[in-house]
Amino acid sequence: QVQLVQSGAEVKKPGASVKVSCKASGYTFTGYYMHWVRQAPGQGLEWMGWINPNSGGTNYAQKFQGRVTMTRDTSISTAYMELSRLRSDDTAVYYCARLIAVADEYYFDYWGQGTLVTVSS
Amino acid sequence: DIQMTQSPSSLSASVGDRVTITCRASQSISSYLNWYQQKPGKAPKLLIYAASSLQSGVPSRFSGSGSGTDFTLTISSLQPEDFATYYCQQSYSTLLITFGPGTKVDIK
């Protein structure tokens, strides 16, 4: 069965960086783009970008350009999202989500359990 | 960027009620519209994809309709486990995916 298992909660100081992992299992990791979505406390879902695990190609939301880096390690079927220069408003739950792209249909069918990142001095 | 809006932002309903949530895109997105349900502390769960296709395992009381800019999620008979927040999401541009702000459905 498909599973996306994320790394544990993090507490960081403003200005620091955080790297969240997302380990995939139950499917061919390189066959599906992996997206990252975050959710601040009590707020809605905010899309951050994606990585193509096959090529390593990435695309980031303009809001995060210059601060976010998405990478992958195909040998262990794991995607990573690193966010730098953290601010207090980066406090959020960060999710990875697998994108299905088939027959002109695109949707997130599996999500990780979420990783809470708290930014506080 | 394609902006998504939802209405209402919240609603109160009773078990057995028919509930309708509307999602509007700032430009035509054909049928590239998905609906997710999220419960507190949990990841979103896919309900409807491509505007009207029911995801496997999702109860048939959920249905979606619409195309272009206006879309609807309907719950035909609200059940206790349906109290949650619902998000629409456009996938017309996978280079810039956007979600609606959400509609919270709670108990009347």
Side-chain angles (χ1 to χ4, degrees):
Chain A
Q1 72 284 20
V2 173
Q3 281 193 300
L4 300 176
V5 179
Q6 298 183 220
S7 49
E10 303 262 13
V11 179
K12 296 292 183 180
K13 294 192 181 303
S17 297
V18 68
K19 190 171 186 177
V20 179
S21 67
C22 171
K23 182 170 177 60
S25 61
Y27 72 99
T28 301
F29 176 66
T30 53
Y32 301 83
Y33 282 36
M34 192 71 78
H35 292 238
W36 290 87
V37 175
R38 76 176 188 179
Q39 186 171 39
Q43 302 302 308
L45 301 168
E46 182 176 32
W47 177 78
M48 299 180 70
W50 54 252
I51 182 167
N52 176 347
N54 187 42
S55 67
T58 56
N59 178 61
Y60 305 138
Q62 187 171 11
K63 175 177 179 177
F64 301 102
Q65 291 273 1
R67 284 209 304 142
V68 70
T69 304
M70 296 178 188
T71 57
R72 91 294 190 213
D73 184 339
T74 57
S75 69
I76 56 172
S77 300
T78 299
Y80 302 92
M81 187 285 300
E82 183 170 20
L83 190 62
S84 63
R85 304 195 299 279
L86 289 168
R87 308 184 292 253
S88 58
D89 61 357
D90 291 318
T91 294
V93 176
Y94 290 76
Y95 294 102
C96 57
R98 185 180 84 158
L99 182 79
I100 288 289
V102 61
D104 222 23
E105 295 166 346
Y106 305 90
Y107 52 89
F108 300 126
D109 65 339
Y110 285 94
W111 295 66
Q113 82 277 18
T115 296
L116 175 62
V117 175
T118 302
V119 183
S120 174
S121 55
Chain B
D1 299 9
I2 299 174
Q3 308 299 321
M4 307 299 294
T5 58
Q6 287 182 234
S7 61
S9 56
S10 65
L11 66 91
S12 296
S14 301
V15 173
D17 283 353
R18 182 181 182 88
V19 169
T20 299
I21 299 169
T22 297
C23 176
R24 176 165 289 174
S26 61
Q27 67 180 71
S28 177
I29 56 171
S30 185
S31 295
Y32 294 97
L33 190 283
N34 308 313
W35 290 97
Y36 299 86
Q37 176 194 67
Q38 187 181 34
K39 296 181 179 179
K42 299 294 187 182
K45 172 188 173 184
L46 177 68
L47 298 176
I48 301 286
Y49 63 93
S52 60
S53 295
L54 190 68
Q55 172 68 347
S56 176
V58 174
S60 59
R61 63 181 179 273
F62 291 93
S63 64
S65 64
S67 67
T69 60
D70 295 317
F71 302 86
T72 299
L73 173 71
T74 300
I75 309 172
S76 60
S77 178
L78 198 66
Q79 298 301 300
E81 61 268 30
D82 300 337
F83 293 97
T85 300
Y86 294 84
Y87 294 93
C88 62
Q89 172 242 320
Q90 67 81 16
S91 56
Y92 180 80
S93 169
T94 55
L95 290 179
L96 208 170
I97 285 175
T98 47
F99 291 88
T103 295
K104 184 176 181 181
V105 177
D106 62 20
I107 301 172
K108 194 171 190 177

